[in-house]
Amino acid sequence: MAEDRLDIDTGTIEVDDDLRRIEFEAEISSERYRFAVHYDVLEALSAMAPDAEAATIFRQHADEIARLGAKALARDPDQEIIVISENDLD
């Protein structure tokens, strides 16, 4: 995979408070994938609890999430939903 970041489709962003994550779709290398990013990652990126503001925090840090998503995809490309976790943080 030559690209190092996702092209996030902001129209697909969904907050899943039960699983404490944001789900979204993104494209990389002309392929479309489903992703989820845990609230823990949003908190690490923003230094604030994402509970009521998860979607806002996601949008504020979309560039970094796009980079982390490419890393998560490279690690585990065969999953139905590629999960971005704290393990993907540098």
Side-chain angles (χ1 to χ4, degrees):
M1 180 179 340
E3 296 180 55
D4 63 349
R5 57 179 287 120
L6 309 172
D7 182 16
I8 296 173
D9 181 348
T10 57
T12 63
I13 295 170
E14 293 183 27
V15 177
D16 188 336
D17 284 326
D18 292 336
L19 294 177
R20 297 187 46 77
R21 67 187 194 181
I22 299 277
E23 296 180 2
F24 62 97
E25 293 181 14
E27 191 172 296
I28 189 167
S29 300
S30 301
E31 295 288 328
R32 194 163 183 90
Y33 297 91
R34 292 179 59 208
F35 291 86
V37 59
H38 286 289
Y39 279 15
D40 292 344
V41 174
L42 298 176
E43 186 169 356
L45 293 173
S46 68
M48 59 188 292
D51 296 326
E53 301 295 325
T56 300
I57 292 170
F58 178 93
R59 286 181 177 88
Q60 290 171 344
H61 296 277
D63 287 340
E64 182 67 11
I65 292 167
R67 190 185 64 74
L68 295 172
K71 185 176 178 180
L73 177 63
R75 181 187 72 245
D76 202 5
D78 296 326
Q79 297 299 310
E80 183 178 333
I81 296 179
I82 308 300
V83 178
I84 303 166
S85 70
E86 286 184 303
N87 294 334
D88 297 306
L89 294 169
D90 295 326

